[in-house]
PDB file of all heavy atoms in Angstrom:
ATOM      1  N   GLY A 151      17.466  90.720 219.339  1.00 95.00           N
ATOM      2  CA  GLY A 151      18.093  89.383 219.206  1.00 95.00           C
ATOM      3  C   GLY A 151      17.471  88.392 220.136  1.00 95.00           C
ATOM      4  O   GLY A 151      17.272  87.243 219.711  1.00 95.00           O
ATOM      5  N   LEU A 152      17.150  88.738 221.356  1.00 94.00           N
ATOM      6  CA  LEU A 152      16.541  87.841 222.269  1.00 94.00           C
ATOM      7  C   LEU A 152      15.153  87.409 221.932  1.00 94.00           C
ATOM      8  O   LEU A 152      14.793  86.276 221.975  1.00 94.00           O
ATOM      9  CB  LEU A 152      16.589  88.522 223.683  1.00 94.00           C
ATOM     10  CG  LEU A 152      17.845  88.688 224.455  1.00 94.00           C
ATOM     11  CD1 LEU A 152      17.613  89.494 225.681  1.00 94.00           C
ATOM     12  CD2 LEU A 152      18.464  87.310 224.737  1.00 94.00           C
ATOM     13  N   PHE A 153      14.447  88.412 221.367  1.00 94.00           N
ATOM     14  CA  PHE A 153      13.050  88.126 220.883  1.00 94.00           C
ATOM     15  C   PHE A 153      13.149  87.121 219.702  1.00 94.00           C
ATOM     16  O   PHE A 153      12.360  86.119 219.680  1.00 94.00           O
ATOM     17  CB  PHE A 153      12.322  89.388 220.540  1.00 94.00           C
ATOM     18  CG  PHE A 153      10.902  89.217 220.119  1.00 94.00           C
ATOM     19  CD1 PHE A 153       9.859  89.340 221.027  1.00 94.00           C
ATOM     20  CD2 PHE A 153      10.601  88.817 218.747  1.00 94.00           C
ATOM     21  CE1 PHE A 153       8.550  89.085 220.665  1.00 94.00           C
ATOM     22  CE2 PHE A 153       9.189  88.709 218.394  1.00 94.00           C
ATOM     23  CZ  PHE A 153       8.286  88.774 219.318  1.00 94.00           C
ATOM     24  N   THR A 154      13.995  87.351 218.725  1.00 94.00           N
ATOM     25  CA  THR A 154      14.096  86.613 217.625  1.00 94.00           C
ATOM     26  C   THR A 154      14.517  85.183 218.005  1.00 94.00           C
ATOM     27  O   THR A 154      13.990  84.166 217.492  1.00 94.00           O
ATOM     28  CB  THR A 154      15.015  87.169 216.590  1.00 94.00           C
ATOM     29  OG1 THR A 154      14.610  88.441 216.229  1.00 94.00           O
ATOM     30  CG2 THR A 154      15.189  86.299 215.366  1.00 94.00           C
ATOM     31  N   TRP A 155      15.576  85.078 218.836  1.00 94.00           N
ATOM     32  CA  TRP A 155      16.106  83.733 219.281  1.00 94.00           C
ATOM     33  C   TRP A 155      15.032  82.937 219.897  1.00 94.00           C
ATOM     34  O   TRP A 155      14.785  81.779 219.647  1.00 94.00           O
ATOM     35  CB  TRP A 155      17.264  83.999 220.185  1.00 94.00           C
ATOM     36  CG  TRP A 155      17.685  82.711 220.962  1.00 94.00           C
ATOM     37  CD1 TRP A 155      18.266  81.680 220.326  1.00 94.00           C
ATOM     38  CD2 TRP A 155      17.690  82.471 222.358  1.00 94.00           C
ATOM     39  NE1 TRP A 155      18.524  80.701 221.419  1.00 94.00           N
ATOM     40  CE2 TRP A 155      18.215  81.240 222.650  1.00 94.00           C
ATOM     41  CE3 TRP A 155      17.207  83.213 223.432  1.00 94.00           C
ATOM     42  CZ2 TRP A 155      18.254  80.701 223.836  1.00 94.00           C
ATOM     43  CZ3 TRP A 155      17.303  82.655 224.703  1.00 94.00           C
ATOM     44  CH2 TRP A 155      17.774  81.403 224.886  1.00 94.00           C
ATOM     45  N   LYS A 156      14.286  83.449 220.875  1.00 92.00           N
ATOM     46  CA  LYS A 156      13.242  82.704 221.527  1.00 92.00           C
ATOM     47  C   LYS A 156      12.071  82.444 220.569  1.00 92.00           C
ATOM     48  O   LYS A 156      11.445  81.302 220.690  1.00 92.00           O
ATOM     49  CB  LYS A 156      12.754  83.475 222.790  1.00 92.00           C
ATOM     50  CG  LYS A 156      11.864  82.722 223.721  1.00 92.00           C
ATOM     51  CD  LYS A 156      12.559  81.480 224.297  1.00 92.00           C
ATOM     52  CE  LYS A 156      13.676  81.770 225.193  1.00 92.00           C
ATOM     53  NZ  LYS A 156      14.182  80.528 225.885  1.00 92.00           N
ATOM     54  N   PHE A 157      11.718  83.401 219.779  1.00 93.00           N
ATOM     55  CA  PHE A 157      10.646  83.228 218.810  1.00 93.00           C
ATOM     56  C   PHE A 157      10.931  82.046 217.905  1.00 93.00           C
ATOM     57  O   PHE A 157      10.069  81.131 217.729  1.00 93.00           O
ATOM     58  CB  PHE A 157      10.485  84.447 217.951  1.00 93.00           C
ATOM     59  CG  PHE A 157       9.365  84.410 216.953  1.00 93.00           C
ATOM     60  CD1 PHE A 157       8.120  84.931 217.338  1.00 93.00           C
ATOM     61  CD2 PHE A 157       9.497  83.771 215.733  1.00 93.00           C
ATOM     62  CE1 PHE A 157       7.033  84.989 216.454  1.00 93.00           C
ATOM     63  CE2 PHE A 157       8.413  83.866 214.770  1.00 93.00           C
ATOM     64  CZ  PHE A 157       7.201  84.428 215.142  1.00 93.00           C
ATOM     65  N   MET A 158      12.176  81.917 217.343  1.00 92.00           N
ATOM     66  CA  MET A 158      12.517  80.841 216.521  1.00 92.00           C
ATOM     67  C   MET A 158      12.684  79.492 217.309  1.00 92.00           C
ATOM     68  O   MET A 158      12.383  78.445 216.646  1.00 92.00           O
ATOM     69  CB  MET A 158      13.849  81.105 215.807  1.00 92.00           C
ATOM     70  CG  MET A 158      13.846  82.369 214.825  1.00 92.00           C
ATOM     71  SD  MET A 158      12.490  82.318 213.620  1.00 92.00           S
ATOM     72  CE  MET A 158      13.041  80.796 212.666  1.00 92.00           C
ATOM     73  N   GLN A 159      13.052  79.631 218.526  1.00 90.00           N
ATOM     74  CA  GLN A 159      13.174  78.365 219.329  1.00 90.00           C
ATOM     75  C   GLN A 159      11.837  77.723 219.467  1.00 90.00           C
ATOM     76  O   GLN A 159      11.726  76.416 219.288  1.00 90.00           O
ATOM     77  CB  GLN A 159      13.782  78.707 220.678  1.00 90.00           C
ATOM     78  CG  GLN A 159      14.179  77.495 221.502  1.00 90.00           C
ATOM     79  CD  GLN A 159      14.703  77.973 222.855  1.00 90.00           C
ATOM     80  OE1 GLN A 159      13.920  78.262 223.827  1.00 90.00           O
ATOM     81  NE2 GLN A 159      15.997  78.064 222.919  1.00 90.00           N
ATOM     82  N   TYR A 160      10.833  78.434 219.739  1.00 88.00           N
ATOM     83  CA  TYR A 160       9.495  77.834 219.942  1.00 88.00           C
ATOM     84  C   TYR A 160       8.770  77.633 218.600  1.00 88.00           C
ATOM     85  O   TYR A 160       7.799  76.855 218.444  1.00 88.00           O
ATOM     86  CB  TYR A 160       8.643  78.806 220.818  1.00 88.00           C
ATOM     87  CG  TYR A 160       8.827  78.501 222.228  1.00 88.00           C
ATOM     88  CD1 TYR A 160       9.949  79.021 222.897  1.00 88.00           C
ATOM     89  CD2 TYR A 160       8.001  77.592 223.007  1.00 88.00           C
ATOM     90  CE1 TYR A 160      10.159  78.823 224.287  1.00 88.00           C
ATOM     91  CE2 TYR A 160       8.250  77.376 224.289  1.00 88.00           C
ATOM     92  CZ  TYR A 160       9.335  77.931 224.941  1.00 88.00           C
ATOM     93  OH  TYR A 160       9.578  77.663 226.233  1.00 88.00           O
ATOM     94  N   ARG A 161       9.290  78.302 217.522  1.00 89.00           N
ATOM     95  CA  ARG A 161       8.753  78.094 216.175  1.00 89.00           C
ATOM     96  C   ARG A 161       9.004  76.657 215.744  1.00 89.00           C
ATOM     97  O   ARG A 161       8.374  75.980 214.956  1.00 89.00           O
ATOM     98  CB  ARG A 161       9.270  79.104 215.209  1.00 89.00           C
ATOM     99  CG  ARG A 161       8.984  78.825 213.711  1.00 89.00           C
ATOM    100  CD  ARG A 161       7.453  79.108 213.511  1.00 89.00           C
ATOM    101  NE  ARG A 161       7.154  78.948 212.157  1.00 89.00           N
ATOM    102  CZ  ARG A 161       7.070  77.740 211.481  1.00 89.00           C
ATOM    103  NH1 ARG A 161       7.167  76.640 212.165  1.00 89.00           N
ATOM    104  NH2 ARG A 161       6.615  77.687 210.176  1.00 89.00           N
ATOM    105  N   VAL A 173       2.102  81.628 220.976  1.00 89.00           N
ATOM    106  CA  VAL A 173       3.074  81.205 222.037  1.00 89.00           C
ATOM    107  C   VAL A 173       4.520  81.693 221.615  1.00 89.00           C
ATOM    108  O   VAL A 173       5.233  82.063 222.498  1.00 89.00           O
ATOM    109  CB  VAL A 173       3.100  79.632 222.186  1.00 89.00           C
ATOM    110  CG1 VAL A 173       3.655  78.994 220.854  1.00 89.00           C
ATOM    111  CG2 VAL A 173       3.864  79.237 223.335  1.00 89.00           C
ATOM    112  N   THR A 174       4.843  81.784 220.384  1.00 91.00           N
ATOM    113  CA  THR A 174       6.203  82.208 219.958  1.00 91.00           C
ATOM    114  C   THR A 174       6.308  83.703 220.320  1.00 91.00           C
ATOM    115  O   THR A 174       7.289  84.152 220.804  1.00 91.00           O
ATOM    116  CB  THR A 174       6.357  82.071 218.442  1.00 91.00           C
ATOM    117  OG1 THR A 174       5.331  82.688 217.733  1.00 91.00           O
ATOM    118  CG2 THR A 174       6.432  80.579 218.082  1.00 91.00           C
ATOM    119  N   ALA A 176       4.527  85.382 222.732  1.00 91.00           N
ATOM    120  CA  ALA A 176       4.569  85.424 224.113  1.00 91.00           C
ATOM    121  C   ALA A 176       5.921  85.124 224.689  1.00 91.00           C
ATOM    122  O   ALA A 176       6.396  85.792 225.616  1.00 91.00           O
ATOM    123  CB  ALA A 176       3.482  84.522 224.730  1.00 91.00           C
ATOM    124  N   LYS A 177       6.556  84.064 224.188  1.00 92.00           N
ATOM    125  CA  LYS A 177       7.827  83.638 224.747  1.00 92.00           C
ATOM    126  C   LYS A 177       8.973  84.668 224.336  1.00 92.00           C
ATOM    127  O   LYS A 177       9.921  84.909 225.041  1.00 92.00           O
ATOM    128  CB  LYS A 177       8.193  82.235 224.131  1.00 92.00           C
ATOM    129  CG  LYS A 177       7.310  81.217 224.783  1.00 92.00           C
ATOM    130  CD  LYS A 177       7.469  81.124 226.374  1.00 92.00           C
ATOM    131  CE  LYS A 177       6.650  80.027 226.989  1.00 92.00           C
ATOM    132  NZ  LYS A 177       6.786  80.018 228.482  1.00 92.00           N
ATOM    133  N   GLY A 178       8.859  85.219 223.102  1.00 93.00           N
ATOM    134  CA  GLY A 178       9.810  86.193 222.644  1.00 93.00           C
ATOM    135  C   GLY A 178       9.705  87.471 223.574  1.00 93.00           C
ATOM    136  O   GLY A 178      10.691  87.983 224.042  1.00 93.00           O
ATOM    137  N   ALA A 179       8.442  87.930 223.856  1.00 93.00           N
ATOM    138  CA  ALA A 179       8.272  89.009 224.736  1.00 93.00           C
ATOM    139  C   ALA A 179       8.827  88.664 226.189  1.00 93.00           C
ATOM    140  O   ALA A 179       9.290  89.585 226.831  1.00 93.00           O
ATOM    141  CB  ALA A 179       6.832  89.404 224.763  1.00 93.00           C
ATOM    142  N   ALA A 180       8.612  87.494 226.631  1.00 92.00           N
ATOM    143  CA  ALA A 180       9.013  87.123 227.885  1.00 92.00           C
ATOM    144  C   ALA A 180      10.544  87.239 228.092  1.00 92.00           C
ATOM    145  O   ALA A 180      11.035  87.649 229.143  1.00 92.00           O
ATOM    146  CB  ALA A 180       8.571  85.697 228.287  1.00 92.00           C
ATOM    147  N   GLU A 181      11.235  86.923 226.927  1.00 93.00           N
ATOM    148  CA  GLU A 181      12.723  87.018 227.129  1.00 93.00           C
ATOM    149  C   GLU A 181      13.199  88.554 227.227  1.00 93.00           C
ATOM    150  O   GLU A 181      14.146  88.776 227.813  1.00 93.00           O
ATOM    151  CB  GLU A 181      13.391  86.348 225.873  1.00 93.00           C
ATOM    152  CG  GLU A 181      14.754  85.832 226.056  1.00 93.00           C
ATOM    153  CD  GLU A 181      14.823  84.694 227.007  1.00 93.00           C
ATOM    154  OE1 GLU A 181      13.818  83.992 227.321  1.00 93.00           O
ATOM    155  OE2 GLU A 181      15.934  84.435 227.603  1.00 93.00           O
ATOM    156  N   THR A 182      12.510  89.379 226.478  1.00 95.00           N
ATOM    157  CA  THR A 182      12.862  90.748 226.605  1.00 95.00           C
ATOM    158  C   THR A 182      12.445  91.276 227.941  1.00 95.00           C
ATOM    159  O   THR A 182      13.131  92.173 228.557  1.00 95.00           O
ATOM    160  CB  THR A 182      12.129  91.624 225.542  1.00 95.00           C
ATOM    161  OG1 THR A 182      10.776  91.616 225.664  1.00 95.00           O
ATOM    162  CG2 THR A 182      12.470  91.135 224.085  1.00 95.00           C
ATOM    163  N   LYS A 184      12.585  89.685 230.779  1.00 94.00           N
ATOM    164  CA  LYS A 184      13.604  89.301 231.726  1.00 94.00           C
ATOM    165  C   LYS A 184      14.856  90.328 231.648  1.00 94.00           C
ATOM    166  O   LYS A 184      15.290  90.678 232.700  1.00 94.00           O
ATOM    167  CB  LYS A 184      14.172  87.779 231.381  1.00 94.00           C
ATOM    168  CG  LYS A 184      13.188  86.782 231.572  1.00 94.00           C
ATOM    169  CD  LYS A 184      13.724  85.452 231.058  1.00 94.00           C
ATOM    170  CE  LYS A 184      12.772  84.364 230.975  1.00 94.00           C
ATOM    171  NZ  LYS A 184      13.327  83.113 230.394  1.00 94.00           N
ATOM    172  N   VAL A 342       8.833  74.423 230.240  1.00 79.00           N
ATOM    173  CA  VAL A 342      10.305  74.199 230.524  1.00 79.00           C
ATOM    174  C   VAL A 342      10.405  73.547 231.872  1.00 79.00           C
ATOM    175  O   VAL A 342       9.958  74.054 232.834  1.00 79.00           O
ATOM    176  CB  VAL A 342      11.074  75.509 230.516  1.00 79.00           C
ATOM    177  CG1 VAL A 342      12.548  75.324 230.846  1.00 79.00           C
ATOM    178  CG2 VAL A 342      10.916  76.178 229.128  1.00 79.00           C
ATOM    179  N   ARG A 347      17.447  75.811 231.859  1.00 82.00           N
ATOM    180  CA  ARG A 347      16.744  76.585 230.843  1.00 82.00           C
ATOM    181  C   ARG A 347      15.752  77.567 231.471  1.00 82.00           C
ATOM    182  O   ARG A 347      15.152  78.356 230.751  1.00 82.00           O
ATOM    183  CB  ARG A 347      15.961  75.685 229.913  1.00 82.00           C
ATOM    184  CG  ARG A 347      16.889  74.758 229.044  1.00 82.00           C
ATOM    185  CD  ARG A 347      16.074  73.971 228.097  1.00 82.00           C
ATOM    186  NE  ARG A 347      16.955  73.236 227.206  1.00 82.00           N
ATOM    187  CZ  ARG A 347      16.500  72.274 226.280  1.00 82.00           C
ATOM    188  NH1 ARG A 347      15.130  72.072 226.169  1.00 82.00           N
ATOM    189  NH2 ARG A 347      17.353  71.592 225.611  1.00 82.00           N
ATOM    190  N   THR A 349      15.838  80.623 233.028  1.00 87.00           N
ATOM    191  CA  THR A 349      16.989  81.662 233.015  1.00 87.00           C
ATOM    192  C   THR A 349      16.577  82.933 233.745  1.00 87.00           C
ATOM    193  O   THR A 349      17.393  83.830 233.825  1.00 87.00           O
ATOM    194  CB  THR A 349      17.369  81.977 231.654  1.00 87.00           C
ATOM    195  OG1 THR A 349      16.293  82.386 230.893  1.00 87.00           O
ATOM    196  CG2 THR A 349      17.953  80.812 230.939  1.00 87.00           C
ATOM    197  N   TYR A 353      19.235  86.334 234.787  1.00 92.00           N
ATOM    198  CA  TYR A 353      19.120  87.752 234.380  1.00 92.00           C
ATOM    199  C   TYR A 353      19.111  88.586 235.564  1.00 92.00           C
ATOM    200  O   TYR A 353      19.814  89.676 235.660  1.00 92.00           O
ATOM    201  CB  TYR A 353      17.799  87.946 233.621  1.00 92.00           C
ATOM    202  CG  TYR A 353      17.848  87.479 232.152  1.00 92.00           C
ATOM    203  CD1 TYR A 353      17.376  86.341 231.730  1.00 92.00           C
ATOM    204  CD2 TYR A 353      18.415  88.444 231.166  1.00 92.00           C
ATOM    205  CE1 TYR A 353      17.336  85.894 230.414  1.00 92.00           C
ATOM    206  CE2 TYR A 353      18.324  88.060 229.801  1.00 92.00           C
ATOM    207  CZ  TYR A 353      17.892  86.752 229.457  1.00 92.00           C
ATOM    208  OH  TYR A 353      17.865  86.353 228.120  1.00 92.00           O
TER     209      TYR A 353
END
Side-chain angles (χ1 to χ4, degrees):
L152 289 173
F153 184 92
T154 304
W155 169 64
K156 190 59 68 171
F157 185 95
M158 296 306 297
Q159 188 181 86
Y160 276 84
R161 175 67 179 78
V173 70
T174 55
K177 291 299 182 180
E181 207 65 22
T182 64
K184 296 175 190 176
V342 178
R347 291 184 179 175
T349 57
Y353 280 95

